[in-house]
Each structure stands twice: as C-alpha cells, then as structure tokens.
Amino acid sequence: MTGRKPPGRSWESWLDELIRQAHEDGAFDNLEGAGKPLADLDKGYDPDWWVKKLVQREKVSALPPALELLRKVEVEITRIWSSRNEAEVRARVGALNTEIARANALISEGPASRLGVLDADAIVAEWRGRAGGHA
C-alpha cells in the first residue's frame, strides 16, 4: 500500500486498511511485551514520564561532570571487589586513574573534582583481604 492517503478516501478507512494489512503481514506478531500488562499502570499520571523514560533508556546523566565521575568511581570500585584476579583489579584501577586524570584536566563546569588518582597497591591489598586470602 502507498505511503500517502489516496484521494477520495477517508482517513479512517485508509488507516484501518493499513492496520489490517500490517496485521495480515505479521507486523504485530511477537512484539516485545505481548500478553503482559502495561508497566506503571498503578502509578499516577506524570506529565514528564517520557523524559524520565528517555533518561533511563539512554543513560543520560544530569549530574555535573565531577559528581558523575564520583558516581562512576563508586560503581567501579564495587565491581572491583568481585574481580577474579589481581591483573583484572590493576587493569580496572588503571582505567579509572586514566579517566580521573582526564576529567581533572578537563572539568570546567560545576563543582571541581576532588578525586585524585587511586593507589593501585592499596586497592589490591584490600581486594586480597576481601577475597579472604584466596587471591
């Protein structure tokens, strides 16, 4: 079917025909969430629902760069504790230190970063202690 409404046809009949054709072609088969209730129906109406979904889906941060860096370091340190070996711990700390140094050199808006590079040896020692000597 054409992408434009044919002259002389009502919008309703034309759209109904498009939907019927799509249904016959299987366009509505195996849709994500089929047969499941709509999420968040129990919550009240929020006029900013779409912005919140966009921020969540796209992982957008509204934090100033220095605070975003703090949050990222906290998350990564938590992941470091579950690392399998010392090489992985050192690699993760090295990546964090590179990012901290870059951010400290570039952050010009919002609060200043109060993070310095991390001591890899101290983090490895704590990782060993948390691993219970199995590392």
Side-chain angles (χ1 to χ4, degrees):
M1 185 162 258
T2 174
R4 296 178 59 101
K5 181 180 88 62
R9 248 182 119 177
S10 74
W11 281 102
E12 185 176 4
S13 67
W14 180 63
L15 290 173
D16 284 341
E17 175 65 20
L18 287 176
I19 292 169
R20 185 191 60 72
Q21 185 64 44
H23 191 274
E24 288 175 4
D25 293 343
F28 301 119
D29 297 345
N30 302 318
L31 291 175
E32 182 181 339
K36 297 177 185 167
L38 296 174
D40 301 333
L41 280 182
D42 57 335
K43 297 187 172 122
Y45 177 70
D46 181 1
D48 297 326
W49 67 268
W50 63 276
V51 175
K52 293 175 182 174
K53 292 285 186 185
L54 176 71
V55 166
Q56 182 182 25
R57 183 180 66 244
E58 301 295 327
K59 296 181 175 36
V60 175
S61 174
L63 291 175
L67 296 179
E68 180 63 32
L69 179 62
L70 273 173
R71 187 172 80 178
K72 184 171 185 168
V73 168
E74 287 174 356
V75 168
E76 188 61 22
I77 289 291
T78 301
R79 289 181 183 146
I80 284 174
W81 302 143
S82 62
S83 294
R84 293 181 305 265
N85 56 49
E86 182 176 332
E88 184 180 343
V89 173
R90 289 189 182 277
R92 287 180 175 225
V93 172
L96 273 178
N97 281 340
T98 300
E99 192 159 349
I100 290 168
R102 183 178 49 80
N104 285 341
L106 298 177
I107 292 177
S108 61
E109 58 188 57
S113 171
R114 56 183 175 88
L115 278 175
V117 293
L118 304 172
D119 182 354
D121 294 330
I123 291 175
V124 166
E126 185 169 344
W127 170 77
R128 282 187 182 133
R130 287 173 178 257
H134 301 334

